[in-house]
């Protein structure tokens, strides 16, 4: 059986390759679709806790990190307005998914149903995740779009690697701090009581280190994507 660490790097490569292929095949529309898909998957994956190099953290860091890559590609290729539109696509998709799934859970399951308890475990806690995630998402993603263009102007369009990493690394820190504080401390006091400040701090540090690695390793893929000219028809 493969270790969590090996699986994590496999998932990272698969995710980056998939978003690059999505852009190559479907252009700007593909990136918008990817952002919507990724924001949903990240909010489902965050329910799974894993050990990573001996530390406890939640999943979802890789797929969520690809949303920053997607908006950076949009910003570089199509401008600030296209990147901001990508941010709001993700915002709408997560709200719609949360509302639809809460209505779905309100239905009384048939006696033969065996999956309702699993759905409730996955989506039952989604409102607190959604509020925490949406708040962190909007603040960090809009900062990322602003910072990306700030560094692009400062460097006169040079050093793509600099604006990609400088914007994403700070934005991921903002996102991580906002989500951790809201989800673990504000909305889930019992979970916070079980984990304590040490447990929450461990999750915060581990998840940011993972996001840091994702942000650094997405650099070759943004260079690859900016050299593509997908069919936008």
């Amino acid at each position: 059986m493969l270790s969590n660490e090996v699986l994590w790097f496999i998932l990272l490569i698969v995710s980056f390759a998939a978003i690059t292929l999505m852009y190559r095949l479907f252009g700007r529309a593909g990136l918008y679709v990817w952002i919507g898909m990724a924001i949903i998957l990240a909010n489902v994956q965050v329910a799974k806790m894993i050990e990573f190099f001996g530390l406890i953290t939640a999943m979802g860091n890789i797929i969520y990190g690809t949303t920053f890559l997607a908006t950076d590609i949009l910003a570089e290729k199509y401008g600030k307005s296209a990147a901001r539109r990508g941010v709001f696509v993700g915002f709408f998709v997560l709200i719609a998914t949360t509302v639809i799934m809460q209505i779905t859970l309100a239905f009384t399951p048939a006696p033969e149903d065996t999956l309702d308890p699993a759905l409730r475990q996955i989506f039952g806690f989604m409102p607190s995740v959604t509020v925490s995630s949406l708040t962190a998402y909007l603040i960090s993603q809009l900062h990322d779009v602003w910072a990306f263009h700030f560094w692009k102007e400062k460097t006169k369009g040079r050093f793509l690697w600099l604006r990609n990493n400088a914007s994403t690394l700070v934005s991921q820190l903002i996102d991580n701090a906002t989500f951790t504080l809201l989800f673990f401390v504000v909305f889930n006091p019992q979970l916070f009581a079980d984990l304590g400040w040490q447990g929450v701090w461990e999750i915060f540090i581990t998840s940011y280190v993972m996001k840091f690695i994702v942000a650094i390793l997405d650099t070759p893929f943004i260079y690859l994507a900016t050299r593509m000219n997908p069919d936008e028809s």
Side-chain angles (χ1 to χ4, degrees):
M1 181 180 295
L2 297 176
S3 68
N4 283 346
E5 292 77 17
V6 172
L7 286 170
W8 190 85
F9 281 102
I10 291 174
L11 180 59
L12 183 144
I13 297 300
V14 169
S15 299
F16 283 159
I19 188 176
T20 305
L21 183 60
M22 193 83 163
Y23 177 60
R24 179 67 183 86
L25 294 175
F26 306 109
R28 186 186 338 193
L31 293 178
Y32 291 145
V33 171
W34 182 273
I35 291 171
M37 180 198 72
I39 197 72
I40 295 172
L41 286 178
N43 279 272
V44 172
Q45 286 183 333
V46 76
K48 185 177 179 111
M49 307 291 286
I50 62 170
E51 277 196 22
F52 189 73
F53 289 108
L55 298 173
I56 303 297
T57 190
M59 288 197 66
N61 297 298
I62 294 174
I63 194 67
Y64 185 71
T66 62
T67 63
F68 288 90
L69 174 59
T71 53
D72 283 356
I73 295 171
L74 287 167
E76 181 67 17
K77 295 277 286 188
Y78 306 102
K80 184 184 293 186
S81 62
R84 288 173 64 90
R85 176 170 293 190
V87 173
F88 289 117
V89 164
F91 182 82
F92 176 82
V93 166
L94 186 55
I95 289 178
T97 301
T98 301
V99 172
I100 289 170
M101 288 311 302
Q102 296 314 300
I103 296 173
T104 300
L105 294 179
F107 281 80
T108 302
E112 296 81 9
D113 181 271
T114 58
L115 294 180
D116 184 67
L119 286 175
R120 292 184 182 279
Q121 277 194 305
I122 295 173
F123 294 103
F125 75 102
M126 203 166 185
S128 64
V129 174
T130 299
V131 173
S132 305
S133 180
L134 281 176
T135 304
Y137 173 80
L138 271 184
I139 295 173
S140 62
Q141 286 280 6
L142 291 177
H143 173 271
D144 184 64
V145 173
W146 170 84
F148 187 92
H149 284 276
F150 171 83
W151 287 111
K152 188 173 185 177
E153 292 174 1
K154 286 292 184 182
T155 60
K156 302 185 187 304
R158 297 174 296 172
F159 311 124
L160 174 57
W161 63 269
L162 176 62
R163 57 183 174 273
N164 174 55
N165 287 295
S167 62
T168 301
L169 290 174
V170 176
S171 299
Q172 287 276 38
L173 181 61
I174 293 171
D175 176 86
N176 209 42
T178 305
F179 179 83
T180 302
L181 180 63
L182 288 177
F183 180 72
F184 289 102
V185 180
V186 176
F187 293 121
N188 292 282
Q190 185 56 55
L191 180 58
F192 173 67
D194 294 338
L195 293 171
W197 278 112
Q198 182 176 350
V200 172
W201 177 249
E202 183 176 303
I203 292 172
F204 172 83
I205 290 296
T206 308
S207 58
Y208 183 67
V209 168
M210 295 167 77
K211 289 175 179 178
F212 186 96
I213 296 171
V214 171
I216 295 296
L217 294 181
D218 78 7
T219 305
F221 293 90
I222 193 171
Y223 274 95
L224 178 61
T226 55
R227 284 163 172 74
M228 292 179 178
N229 292 297
D231 183 8
E232 300 283 357
S233 60

